[in-house]
Amino acid sequence: MESLLDKYGYSPDEEKITKRLDAIAANIDNTMTSDVLKDCMSLMDLTTLRTEDTPDSVAKLVGKVNSFKKDFPEYPLPASVCVFSNLASVVRDTLEDNNVHVTAVSGCFPTSQSFLEVKVKECEMAVEAGADEIDIVLPLNSFMAGDFESSRKEIRSMRNAVDAAAVKVGRKVVLKVILETGLLVTPERIAEASFLAMEEGADFIKTSTGKVSVNATPMAAYVMCESIKAFHAKTGRKVGFKAAGGISTAKDAACYYSIVKTVLGGEWLNKDLFRFGVSRLANSLMSSIECKTVSYF
Protein backbone atom coordinates (compact mmCIF):
# COMPACT_ATOMS: atom_id res chain seq x y z
CA MET A 1 0.00 0.00 0.00
CA GLU A 2 1.27 3.48 -0.88
CA SER A 3 2.76 5.31 2.11
CA LEU A 4 1.31 8.63 3.21
CA LEU A 5 4.60 10.37 2.43
CA ASP A 6 4.65 8.96 -1.10
CA LYS A 7 0.98 9.80 -1.59
CA TYR A 8 1.65 13.49 -0.98
CA GLY A 9 5.13 13.57 -2.50
CA TYR A 10 6.70 14.81 0.71
CA SER A 11 9.75 13.65 2.64
CA PRO A 12 11.16 15.84 5.42
CA ASP A 13 14.70 17.08 4.70
CA GLU A 14 16.15 17.69 8.17
CA GLU A 15 19.32 19.33 6.91
CA LYS A 16 17.43 21.83 4.74
CA ILE A 17 14.87 22.52 7.48
CA THR A 18 17.65 23.13 10.01
CA LYS A 19 19.26 25.71 7.73
CA ARG A 20 15.95 27.50 7.26
CA LEU A 21 15.29 27.48 11.00
CA ASP A 22 18.77 28.90 11.59
CA ALA A 23 17.95 31.72 9.16
CA ILE A 24 14.68 32.41 10.98
CA ALA A 25 16.52 32.49 14.32
CA ALA A 26 19.16 34.86 12.95
CA ASN A 27 16.44 37.31 11.85
CA ILE A 28 14.16 36.95 14.87
CA ASP A 29 14.89 40.37 16.37
CA ASN A 30 13.81 42.03 13.12
CA THR A 31 10.63 39.94 13.11
CA MET A 32 9.54 41.05 16.58
CA THR A 33 7.79 44.25 15.54
CA SER A 34 4.84 45.65 17.43
CA ASP A 35 2.50 44.76 14.55
CA VAL A 36 3.66 41.12 14.44
CA LEU A 37 3.40 40.71 18.20
CA LYS A 38 -0.10 42.18 18.19
CA ASP A 39 -1.00 39.76 15.38
CA CYS A 40 0.22 36.97 17.64
CA MET A 41 -2.14 38.23 20.38
CA SER A 42 -5.07 37.83 17.99
CA LEU A 43 -4.05 34.23 17.22
CA MET A 44 -4.03 33.01 20.82
CA ASP A 45 -6.21 30.29 22.28
CA LEU A 46 -5.91 31.70 25.80
CA THR A 47 -5.69 28.51 27.81
CA THR A 48 -6.16 27.24 31.33
CA LEU A 49 -5.87 23.47 31.74
CA ARG A 50 -4.98 23.01 35.39
CA THR A 51 -6.18 20.27 37.70
CA GLU A 52 -7.22 22.98 40.15
CA ASP A 53 -9.36 24.93 37.64
CA THR A 54 -12.80 25.80 39.02
CA PRO A 55 -15.85 27.54 37.56
CA ASP A 56 -14.85 30.65 39.50
CA SER A 57 -11.23 30.66 38.28
CA VAL A 58 -12.33 30.19 34.67
CA ALA A 59 -14.97 32.93 34.99
CA LYS A 60 -12.28 35.23 36.38
CA LEU A 61 -10.06 34.60 33.33
CA VAL A 62 -12.97 35.25 30.98
CA GLY A 63 -13.75 38.41 32.91
CA LYS A 64 -10.29 39.69 32.04
CA VAL A 65 -10.98 38.97 28.38
CA ASN A 66 -14.26 40.87 28.67
CA SER A 67 -12.55 43.95 30.10
CA PHE A 68 -9.45 43.74 27.91
CA LYS A 69 -10.58 46.12 25.15
CA LYS A 70 -11.52 48.74 27.75
CA ASP A 71 -8.16 48.45 29.48
CA PHE A 72 -6.06 48.01 26.30
CA PRO A 73 -8.09 49.37 23.37
CA GLU A 74 -5.14 49.25 20.96
CA TYR A 75 -4.75 45.47 21.32
CA PRO A 76 -6.77 42.69 19.63
CA LEU A 77 -8.73 40.14 21.61
CA PRO A 78 -7.54 36.51 21.65
CA ALA A 79 -9.08 34.07 19.18
CA SER A 80 -10.56 31.86 21.89
CA VAL A 81 -10.53 30.78 25.51
CA CYS A 82 -9.54 27.13 25.89
CA VAL A 83 -10.64 25.01 28.87
CA PHE A 84 -11.56 21.46 29.85
CA SER A 85 -14.84 20.24 28.34
CA ASN A 86 -16.76 20.40 31.60
CA LEU A 87 -15.95 24.10 31.91
CA ALA A 88 -16.94 25.10 28.38
CA SER A 89 -20.35 26.23 29.59
CA VAL A 90 -18.70 28.64 32.04
CA VAL A 91 -16.82 30.30 29.20
CA ARG A 92 -19.94 30.37 26.99
CA ASP A 93 -22.06 31.94 29.73
CA THR A 94 -19.43 34.51 30.73
CA LEU A 95 -17.97 35.68 27.42
CA GLU A 96 -19.37 38.97 26.15
CA ASP A 97 -17.80 39.06 22.65
CA ASN A 98 -19.00 36.48 20.12
CA ASN A 99 -15.82 36.98 18.10
CA VAL A 100 -13.92 35.16 20.86
CA HIS A 101 -14.57 31.44 20.54
CA VAL A 102 -15.00 28.78 23.20
CA THR A 103 -12.43 25.99 22.80
CA ALA A 104 -12.65 22.72 24.74
CA VAL A 105 -10.08 19.95 24.98
CA SER A 106 -11.99 16.69 24.60
CA GLY A 107 -11.71 13.03 23.66
CA CYS A 108 -10.06 12.15 26.99
CA PHE A 109 -7.36 14.80 26.73
CA PRO A 110 -4.38 14.67 27.24
CA THR A 111 -3.74 10.93 26.69
CA SER A 112 -6.70 9.82 24.53
CA GLN A 113 -6.57 6.64 26.59
CA SER A 114 -10.14 5.47 27.01
CA PHE A 115 -12.99 3.75 25.20
CA LEU A 116 -13.91 5.33 21.88
CA GLU A 117 -17.51 5.64 23.04
CA VAL A 118 -16.34 7.78 25.99
CA LYS A 119 -14.26 10.02 23.72
CA VAL A 120 -17.13 10.49 21.29
CA LYS A 121 -19.58 11.30 24.08
CA GLU A 122 -17.26 13.88 25.59
CA CYS A 123 -16.92 15.61 22.21
CA GLU A 124 -20.70 15.71 21.83
CA MET A 125 -21.19 17.06 25.35
CA ALA A 126 -18.52 19.74 24.87
CA VAL A 127 -20.31 21.08 21.79
CA GLU A 128 -23.66 20.97 23.62
CA ALA A 129 -22.03 22.88 26.50
CA GLY A 130 -21.03 25.69 24.16
CA ALA A 131 -17.73 24.82 22.50
CA ASP A 132 -17.06 26.38 19.08
CA GLU A 133 -13.82 24.43 18.74
CA ILE A 134 -12.81 20.96 19.93
CA ASP A 135 -9.19 19.89 20.46
CA ILE A 136 -8.62 16.12 20.57
CA VAL A 137 -5.43 14.03 20.75
CA LEU A 138 -4.28 11.67 18.01
CA PRO A 139 -4.88 8.11 19.33
CA LEU A 140 -1.22 7.36 19.96
CA ASN A 141 -1.98 3.94 21.43
CA SER A 142 -2.88 2.72 17.94
CA PHE A 143 -0.76 5.09 15.83
CA MET A 144 2.49 4.22 17.62
CA ALA A 145 1.69 0.53 17.15
CA GLY A 146 1.39 1.06 13.40
CA ASP A 147 -2.37 0.52 13.45
CA PHE A 148 -3.27 3.51 11.30
CA GLU A 149 -6.76 2.21 10.55
CA SER A 150 -7.77 2.28 14.21
CA SER A 151 -6.35 5.80 14.52
CA ARG A 152 -8.35 6.85 11.47
CA LYS A 153 -11.53 5.31 12.84
CA GLU A 154 -11.22 7.16 16.13
CA ILE A 155 -10.53 10.58 14.58
CA ARG A 156 -13.34 10.11 12.05
CA SER A 157 -15.76 9.00 14.77
CA MET A 158 -15.01 12.11 16.82
CA ARG A 159 -15.21 14.30 13.71
CA ASN A 160 -18.65 12.87 12.92
CA ALA A 161 -19.80 13.31 16.52
CA VAL A 162 -18.69 16.94 16.55
CA ASP A 163 -20.43 17.64 13.25
CA ALA A 164 -23.67 15.97 14.35
CA ALA A 165 -23.71 17.89 17.64
CA ALA A 166 -22.91 21.11 15.77
CA VAL A 167 -25.94 20.65 13.51
CA LYS A 168 -28.16 20.26 16.57
CA VAL A 169 -26.94 23.52 18.11
CA GLY A 170 -26.94 25.35 14.79
CA ARG A 171 -23.29 26.30 14.39
CA LYS A 172 -20.11 25.06 12.72
CA VAL A 173 -17.55 23.60 15.11
CA VAL A 174 -13.83 23.42 14.35
CA LEU A 175 -11.88 20.22 15.09
CA LYS A 176 -8.18 20.39 15.98
CA VAL A 177 -6.12 17.19 16.25
CA ILE A 178 -3.12 17.25 18.58
CA LEU A 179 -0.26 15.09 17.29
CA GLU A 180 1.90 15.13 20.45
CA THR A 181 4.99 15.59 18.30
CA GLY A 182 7.44 15.19 21.18
CA LEU A 183 6.40 11.54 21.45
CA LEU A 184 6.39 10.95 17.68
CA VAL A 185 10.06 12.06 17.67
CA THR A 186 11.02 11.68 13.99
CA PRO A 187 10.11 14.13 11.22
CA GLU A 188 8.79 11.24 9.11
CA ARG A 189 6.39 10.08 11.80
CA ILE A 190 5.27 13.67 12.45
CA ALA A 191 4.51 14.04 8.73
CA GLU A 192 2.61 10.73 8.65
CA ALA A 193 0.51 11.79 11.64
CA SER A 194 -0.16 15.16 10.00
CA PHE A 195 -1.43 13.59 6.79
CA LEU A 196 -3.53 11.00 8.61
CA ALA A 197 -5.23 13.61 10.79
CA MET A 198 -5.91 15.89 7.82
CA GLU A 199 -7.34 13.05 5.76
CA GLU A 200 -9.76 12.21 8.56
CA GLY A 201 -11.18 15.72 8.76
CA ALA A 202 -8.94 17.83 11.03
CA ASP A 203 -9.52 21.55 10.49
CA PHE A 204 -6.24 22.19 12.34
CA ILE A 205 -3.29 20.05 13.31
CA LYS A 206 -1.70 20.99 16.61
CA THR A 207 1.77 20.22 17.96
CA SER A 208 1.29 19.24 21.57
CA THR A 209 -0.81 18.98 24.72
CA GLY A 210 1.75 20.74 26.89
CA LYS A 211 1.54 17.75 29.22
CA VAL A 212 4.62 15.75 28.13
CA SER A 213 8.36 16.38 28.49
CA VAL A 214 8.91 17.57 24.89
CA ASN A 215 6.21 19.80 23.46
CA ALA A 216 6.27 22.25 20.52
CA THR A 217 9.58 22.53 18.67
CA PRO A 218 10.46 24.59 15.59
CA MET A 219 11.46 21.41 13.71
CA ALA A 220 8.10 19.74 14.38
CA ALA A 221 6.26 22.93 13.42
CA TYR A 222 8.19 23.23 10.16
CA VAL A 223 7.45 19.61 9.21
CA MET A 224 3.77 20.05 10.04
CA CYS A 225 3.56 23.23 7.96
CA GLU A 226 5.29 21.54 5.03
CA SER A 227 2.79 18.68 5.37
CA ILE A 228 -0.09 21.15 5.33
CA LYS A 229 1.37 22.72 2.19
CA ALA A 230 1.70 19.33 0.46
CA PHE A 231 -1.84 18.36 1.51
CA HIS A 232 -3.23 21.64 0.17
CA ALA A 233 -1.38 21.19 -3.13
CA LYS A 234 -2.94 17.76 -3.63
CA THR A 235 -6.45 18.30 -2.25
CA GLY A 236 -7.08 22.04 -2.45
CA ARG A 237 -8.15 22.07 1.21
CA LYS A 238 -6.55 24.51 3.62
CA VAL A 239 -5.81 23.08 7.07
CA GLY A 240 -4.75 25.26 9.97
CA PHE A 241 -1.70 24.95 12.20
CA LYS A 242 -1.66 25.36 15.99
CA ALA A 243 1.55 25.61 18.01
CA ALA A 244 1.10 24.71 21.68
CA GLY A 245 3.16 23.56 24.64
CA GLY A 246 5.91 25.66 26.18
CA ILE A 247 5.33 28.77 24.07
CA SER A 248 5.72 31.56 26.61
CA THR A 249 7.93 34.34 25.22
CA ALA A 250 7.56 36.92 22.47
CA LYS A 251 10.58 35.38 20.77
CA ASP A 252 8.85 31.97 20.78
CA ALA A 253 5.78 33.48 19.15
CA ALA A 254 7.83 35.31 16.53
CA CYS A 255 9.64 32.08 15.68
CA TYR A 256 6.43 30.13 14.98
CA TYR A 257 4.90 33.11 13.19
CA SER A 258 7.96 33.19 10.92
CA ILE A 259 7.74 29.44 10.25
CA VAL A 260 4.12 29.72 9.14
CA LYS A 261 4.86 32.77 6.99
CA THR A 262 7.93 31.12 5.42
CA VAL A 263 6.30 27.77 4.60
CA LEU A 264 2.63 28.61 4.06
CA GLY A 265 2.68 32.31 3.25
CA GLY A 266 0.75 35.33 4.43
CA GLU A 267 -2.66 33.82 3.65
CA TRP A 268 -2.22 31.50 6.64
CA LEU A 269 -1.48 34.36 9.07
CA ASN A 270 -5.01 34.69 10.44
CA LYS A 271 -7.00 33.04 13.21
CA ASP A 272 -8.89 30.81 10.77
CA LEU A 273 -5.65 29.01 9.89
CA PHE A 274 -3.09 29.71 12.61
CA ARG A 275 -3.28 29.56 16.41
CA PHE A 276 -1.14 29.51 19.51
CA GLY A 277 -2.25 27.45 22.51
CA VAL A 278 -0.90 29.45 25.44
CA SER A 279 -1.35 30.26 29.10
CA ARG A 280 1.53 32.72 29.67
CA LEU A 281 2.24 34.26 26.27
CA ALA A 282 -0.16 37.22 26.42
CA ASN A 283 1.70 38.96 29.23
CA SER A 284 5.04 38.34 27.50
CA LEU A 285 3.81 39.82 24.21
CA MET A 286 2.39 42.88 25.94
CA SER A 287 5.54 43.33 28.02
CA SER A 288 7.67 43.21 24.89
CA ILE A 289 5.49 45.74 23.08
CA GLU A 290 5.20 48.08 26.05
CA CYS A 291 8.88 47.69 27.04
CA LYS A 292 7.83 47.14 30.64
CA THR A 293 6.43 44.27 32.69
CA VAL A 294 2.71 43.72 32.08
CA SER A 295 0.83 41.18 34.21
CA TYR A 296 -2.76 41.32 33.03
CA PHE A 297 -3.75 37.70 32.41
Side-chain angles (χ1 to χ4, degrees):
M1 187 172 65
E2 183 182 30
S3 75
L4 284 167
L5 301 189
D6 289 340
K7 180 177 181 179
Y8 291 96
Y10 174 64
S11 181
D13 185 332
E14 283 193 74
E15 183 177 351
K16 184 167 70 174
I17 293 172
T18 297
K19 288 180 179 178
R20 289 178 177 172
L21 289 174
D22 287 344
I24 287 171
N27 191 52
I28 203 71
D29 289 337
N30 295 324
T31 304
M32 293 171 60
T33 65
S34 176
D35 286 344
V36 166
L37 298 184
K38 286 182 178 179
D39 273 351
C40 291
M41 290 280 295
S42 73
L43 304 171
M44 295 187 309
D45 289 348
L46 188 64
T47 302
T48 180
L49 296 172
R50 303 175 301 168
T51 303
E52 65 269 29
D53 283 342
T54 66
D56 284 347
S57 69
V58 170
K60 184 177 179 181
L61 175 64
V62 178
K64 291 181 178 180
V65 174
N66 291 339
S67 62
F68 186 62
K69 291 299 287 184
K70 176 171 65 73
D71 295 332
F72 294 92
E74 70 277 19
Y75 283 84
L77 287 166
S80 81
V81 178
C82 178
V83 296
F84 288 113
S85 293
N86 57 306
L87 293 167
S89 62
V90 177
V91 183
R92 171 60 65 195
D93 292 344
T94 311
L95 262 178
E96 296 175 356
D97 193 320
N98 291 333
N99 291 316
V100 180
H101 280 186
V102 181
T103 298
V105 293
S106 297
C108 297
F109 175 96
T111 64
S112 194
Q113 293 280 19
S114 190
F115 302 103
L116 177 56
E117 293 84 354
V118 176
K119 301 179 192 181
V120 165
K121 189 63 178 177
E122 186 183 7
C123 290
E124 290 175 354
M125 292 177 72
V127 174
E128 291 166 357
D132 302 295
E133 305 182 7
I134 299 291
D135 290 18
I136 64 170
V137 181
L138 173 76
L140 290 172
N141 51 9
S142 54
F143 184 87
M144 299 288 273
D147 184 0
F148 286 9
E149 286 310 307
S150 291
S151 291
R152 288 182 182 279
K153 176 186 175 182
E154 293 213 10
I155 295 172
R156 178 53 61 181
S157 295
M158 286 183 272
R159 169 84 267 181
N160 290 342
V162 166
D163 289 345
V167 168
K168 290 180 181 178
V169 298
R171 63 177 184 273
K172 183 182 184 298
V173 177
V174 168
L175 180 70
K176 308 190 198 91
V177 177
I178 306 164
L179 306 185
E180 204 68 287
T181 54
L183 299 182
L184 297 177
V185 181
T186 69
E188 290 76 17
R189 189 168 268 183
I190 291 168
E192 287 178 331
S194 298
F195 290 129
L196 187 148
M198 290 188 286
E199 285 190 344
E200 296 310 316
D203 295 308
F204 278 75
I205 51 175
K206 174 179 170 181
T207 56
S208 320
T209 61
K211 305 297 186 181
V212 296
S213 58
V214 177
N215 290 288
T217 66
M219 175 62 74
Y222 209 101
V223 170
M224 289 170 67
C225 287
E226 287 194 327
S227 299
I228 290 170
K229 184 176 182 178
F231 185 81
H232 176 249
K234 189 171 182 68
T235 67
R237 187 164 77 87
K238 290 182 177 179
V239 174
F241 168 73
K242 180 174 174 178
I247 301 168
S248 60
T249 70
K251 188 169 286 189
D252 290 337
C255 173
Y256 290 103
Y257 187 96
S258 296
I259 289 170
V260 172
K261 185 176 182 179
T262 298
V263 180
L264 294 168
E267 61 188 305
W268 254 263
L269 296 175
N270 61 77
K271 66 181 182 180
D272 292 331
L273 291 169
F274 179 27
R275 298 287 181 87
F276 294 102
V278 294
S279 58
R280 295 171 290 164
L281 180 63
N283 290 335
S284 296
L285 291 172
M286 295 172 70
S287 296
S288 183
I289 294 167
E290 301 291 331
C291 298
K292 63 181 182 182
T293 300
V294 177
S295 301
Y296 185 85
F297 289 105

